[in-house]
Amino acid sequence: MPGWLKNAVFYEIYPQSFYDTNGDGIGDIQGIIEKLDYIRELGANALWINPWYDSPFKDAGYDVRDYKKVASRYGTNDDAKRLFETAHSKGIRVLLDLVPGHTSEEHEWFKESGKAIPVVDGVPQKNEHSDRYIWTEYWLSGIGGHPYISGECDRNGVYMLNFFKSQPALNYGFAAPTESWQMSYKDPEPQKTLELMMDVMRFWLNMGCDGFRVDMADSLVKDDDERKTCTCSLWKKVRAMLDSEYPEAAMVSEWSNPELSLNDAGFHMDFYLDHAGNGYNRLFRDYETLEKYHVFPIAEDRKNTEGRDRSFFKKDGDSDASAFLSDYIPKYEKTKDAGYICFMTCNHDTPRPTRTLDETELKIAYATIFTLPGVPFIYYGDEIGMKYIENLPTKEGGYTRTGSRTPMQWDVDATNMGFSGASSDKLYLPVDEGGPSIKAQQSDKSSLYNVVKDILNIRRNEKSLCADAPFEVLCRGKEKPFIYRRGELIILVNPGEKDIEYTADHPAIKSGNFEEVYSIGRIEHSGDKVVLKAQSFEIIRSK
């Protein structure tokens, strides 16, 4: 386990929307470099950068055309190396986005794979990449794409997809092949695909990358069992390679199943985010019909049968932390010795939390998730409460996700909110003119930005808040506050609009033998009687 993860706080950057330095309306690597001091001052010491590889951008870069080349709109490989070096000089680690399950249909591997396979003396004459993707031997409806890409592919059959039609699935084999065109995940060609992906990882790690966020990490082996046994076996090989060759490199999975990703597959971290009915949803958007992956219901549909959003952090949600904890605690207990469950403000695939929470609700939400176990992730702009922009036309396959990908809002008084000097019609996406900005919130001590900065500063300086520090729930339940302990710190949370009176039974609270470290709102202590005023949060240290 890389030791640096214990104190890591990640900042996710969607590069095309972060900061444009050359005036073309699209963010670039130089823009990230110029904002590293901002990220460090906020309190983050690690980055997750969404794909910056060469791509036709039919899925915002998740359709990779060349794994080892930076897309020209972001810069060059030399710029990437300079980013790694500059970030490291400032004490910042960098994770790249690895897309192992598919490529673009324009990738050279796929072009080779799509070529017809001649038969000589009854023996198919395959090339190096004929089996790099999953092809049927004949037309089979419902499998995926057709092979006629720009007239370059003339292979019989169709190829299996991994997401959009433009993203053919790489061949990691099947758990239990049933057709002649299916290979076992143990066969040489699927194993070679894994080796090629590890070669991609080595390329960037040798340049200075510190690890990877892995896209669709559970999607490798097809028709895998419920526990993804075969896919996990492949990731174990990757983990063994890292442990041997790059022991300080880290991997975080897009899986949201820590028992599998951490215990079975060997990932160091797993995102706790947006699987229908899980604890994250119960905190941030607890409506009856939870959104399916990448589908965000419109506002009037975001209700349960009682006609309101009962998310824990909603001031009028009238709920407690039990629904969240009943999901989270078993997962935490089963995986705490294997890796970290990672809380996120949101990411590029989900609606920004401002869609359901107001500023005060966000302050309490962030203060809570940044003091829970694991490694936290902040999505760019969430620290100032950037909005999810409704009904934006889709951009690069974003569809309903597009509203969470608008440009960073640096300065309300600058052109395009400080994101780019380009004319507005050239911007990657329109900026939210008049929305919150970094510059305005930095000078406002009560702003969301400064709450985030204060909490992260406390996290950085308190051993009790490191990723693997002990965690114990002290109080939960209807009409009770959510109170938990991290080492010598105790955190009290009341996100609701009603005061909560609580008779303390923890010795430090009951005796008054503590000091306040930080608070939002007001909490009154009088012996064992505690009143958590509406929308309050407090960190105390037992003496």
Side-chain angles (χ1 to χ4, degrees):
M1 175 69 69
W4 59 271
L5 289 177
K6 288 180 61 172
N7 299 299
V9 174
F10 279 88
Y11 191 87
E12 180 191 350
I13 294 176
Y14 191 67
Q16 50 267 62
S17 292
F18 192 60
Y19 186 50
D20 170 27
T21 61
N22 63 6
D24 65 355
I26 299 175
D28 43 53
I29 292 175
Q30 179 59 30
I32 299 173
I33 293 173
E34 292 186 16
K35 295 300 183 180
L36 289 174
D37 285 339
Y38 163 78
I39 293 165
R40 185 178 61 178
E41 289 166 7
L42 176 66
N45 57 9
L47 304 180
W48 158 29
I49 301 175
N50 295 120
W52 64 14
Y53 316 111
D54 178 53
S55 169
F57 294 103
K58 295 179 181 178
D59 186 22
Y62 284 92
D63 49 326
V64 180
R65 185 163 52 199
D66 188 338
Y67 283 109
K68 296 182 179 180
K69 179 183 178 182
V70 168
S72 59
R73 74 184 195 181
Y74 300 132
T76 65
N77 283 22
D78 287 340
D79 293 325
K81 184 176 181 180
R82 188 161 50 89
L83 169 60
F84 296 140
E85 293 170 347
T86 308
H88 292 164
S89 74
K90 298 176 183 293
I92 298 173
R93 307 271 184 163
V94 183
L95 297 193
L96 297 183
D97 217 318
L98 184 70
V99 188
H102 52 264
T103 68
S104 164
E105 60 192 357
E106 297 182 20
H107 196 290
E108 286 301 316
W109 296 349
F110 185 74
K111 291 179 180 179
E112 289 297 307
S113 189
K115 291 181 178 178
I117 301 174
V119 177
V120 178
D121 296 329
V123 179
Q125 304 298 303
K126 294 183 178 181
N127 64 48
E128 180 183 5
H129 296 298
S130 293
D131 292 324
R132 194 65 48 234
Y133 300 82
I134 301 173
W135 293 85
T136 68
E137 295 172 343
Y138 42 80
W139 173 258
L140 189 63
S141 64
I143 287 293
H146 60 76
Y148 308 108
I149 310 301
S150 303
E152 297 174 352
C153 300
D154 53 6
R155 181 172 179 166
N156 288 328
V158 291
Y159 56 87
M160 184 171 283
L161 308 182
N162 213 44
F163 196 56
F164 290 149
K165 177 259 178 189
S166 59
Q167 292 162 308
L170 283 163
N171 183 16
Y172 294 93
F174 286 73
T178 59
E179 301 287 343
S180 58
W181 50 269
Q182 298 174 356
M183 296 181 180
S184 167
Y185 71 101
K186 296 179 182 179
D187 286 345
E189 285 303 323
Q191 290 293 317
K192 184 176 179 181
T193 302
L194 183 66
E195 289 296 331
L196 286 171
M197 198 54 57
M198 287 194 286
D199 178 63
V200 169
M201 297 172 73
R202 291 184 181 99
F203 176 85
W204 292 106
L205 290 166
N206 291 338
M207 188 183 292
C209 167
D210 296 291
F212 302 91
R213 174 266 189 180
V214 179
D215 181 64
M216 297 176 65
D218 63 341
S219 72
L220 301 191
V221 177
K222 303 308 178 186
D223 294 342
D224 210 347
D225 60 29
E226 185 176 345
R227 292 195 63 84
K228 301 289 183 178
T229 303
C230 305
T231 295
C232 287
S233 73
L234 299 186
W235 286 119
K236 284 179 182 177
K237 290 188 176 183
V238 176
R239 173 65 183 268
M241 180 274 288
L242 292 179
D243 287 348
S244 173
E245 301 177 30
Y246 308 92
E248 286 300 293
M251 288 198 303
V252 57
S253 59
E254 184 191 32
W255 202 315
S256 200
N257 191 331
E259 190 175 355
L260 301 186
S261 62
L262 303 181
N263 289 347
D264 296 352
F267 281 87
H268 305 101
M269 301 174 283
D270 184 43
F271 289 143
Y272 191 58
L273 182 71
D274 275 344
H275 271 203
N278 79 353
Y280 181 90
N281 291 99
R282 309 307 290 268
L283 292 175
F284 284 91
R285 35 185 178 269
D286 182 16
Y287 26 94
E288 183 187 37
T289 305
L290 298 167
E291 64 263 36
K292 295 179 181 178
Y293 195 55
H294 297 157
V295 178
F296 312 148
I298 58 176
E300 54 266 32
D301 292 335
R302 298 203 315 271
K303 306 295 181 182
N304 58 25
T305 53
E306 297 177 359
R308 55 193 167 91
D309 183 344
R310 299 194 68 238
S311 305
F312 176 63
F313 290 123
K314 287 288 291 181
K315 64 185 176 184
D316 58 350
D318 190 29
S319 64
D320 61 74
S322 295
F324 151 63
L325 292 170
S326 65
D327 178 76
Y328 172 70
I329 292 293
K331 293 175 179 175
Y332 167 75
E333 292 293 341
K334 291 177 182 178
T335 62
K336 63 182 180 180
D337 295 326
Y340 303 121
I341 297 174
C342 298
F343 286 90
M344 311 180 70
T345 58
C346 82
N347 71 10
H348 62 290
D349 281 337
T350 66
R352 289 190 182 270
T354 49
R355 197 164 190 243
T356 54
L357 302 179
D358 65 25
E359 183 177 7
T360 303
E361 291 165 343
L362 284 175
K363 289 177 181 178
I364 295 172
Y366 292 170
T368 303
I369 67 173
F370 294 158
T371 54
L372 286 169
V375 181
F377 281 69
I378 306 166
Y379 185 48
Y380 81 99
D382 278 353
E383 70 271 28
I384 58 170
M386 278 180 57
K387 298 176 183 177
Y388 171 81
I389 308 302
E390 305 277 354
N391 302 318
L392 275 183
T394 184
K395 179 75 172 185
E396 296 183 351
Y399 297 98
T400 52
R401 302 174 294 175
T402 305
S404 291
R405 300 177 177 186
T406 56
M408 183 65 161
Q409 295 156 202
W410 297 101
D411 183 353
V412 70
D413 296 320
T415 302
N416 298 316
M417 298 288 281
F419 162 67
S420 171
S423 59
S424 60
D425 62 309
K426 291 184 178 180
L427 298 183
Y428 176 76
L429 285 170
V431 297
D432 180 20
E433 295 286 358
S437 73
I438 297 294
K439 184 177 180 181
Q441 291 205 11
Q442 283 177 325
S443 60
D444 178 1
K445 294 299 182 184
S446 65
S447 67
L448 179 61
Y449 166 87
N450 276 303
V451 168
V452 170
K453 184 177 179 181
D454 288 345
I455 291 290
L456 294 182
N457 181 61
I458 293 169
R459 183 184 177 98
R460 180 172 60 251
N461 293 307
E462 295 284 352
K463 291 183 179 179
S464 292
L465 294 180
C466 68
D468 61 352
F471 170 64
E472 178 187 4
V473 176
L474 302 179
C475 183
R476 63 192 252 193
K478 192 68 175 175
E479 298 182 355
K480 292 183 179 181
F482 176 31
I483 302 177
Y484 52 99
R485 182 180 64 84
R486 301 292 314 282
E488 64 180 18
L489 299 181
I490 299 172
I491 295 93
L492 302 89
V493 186
N494 174 21
E497 59 187 353
K498 300 176 182 177
D499 297 353
I500 298 178
E501 295 185 7
Y502 164 65
T503 301
D505 51 8
H506 189 278
I509 304 175
K510 189 174 182 179
S511 67
N513 191 27
F514 62 82
E515 62 178 344
E516 183 179 273
V517 176
Y518 185 80
S519 65
I520 299 171
R522 186 159 57 93
I523 296 180
E524 300 173 350
H525 296 267
S526 179
D528 64 352
K529 301 299 182 185
V530 183
V531 179
L532 291 85
K533 307 299 286 187
Q535 293 189 284
S536 59
F537 172 94
E538 184 178 49
I539 303 174
I540 62 176
R541 186 196 318 278
S542 56
K543 294 182 179 178

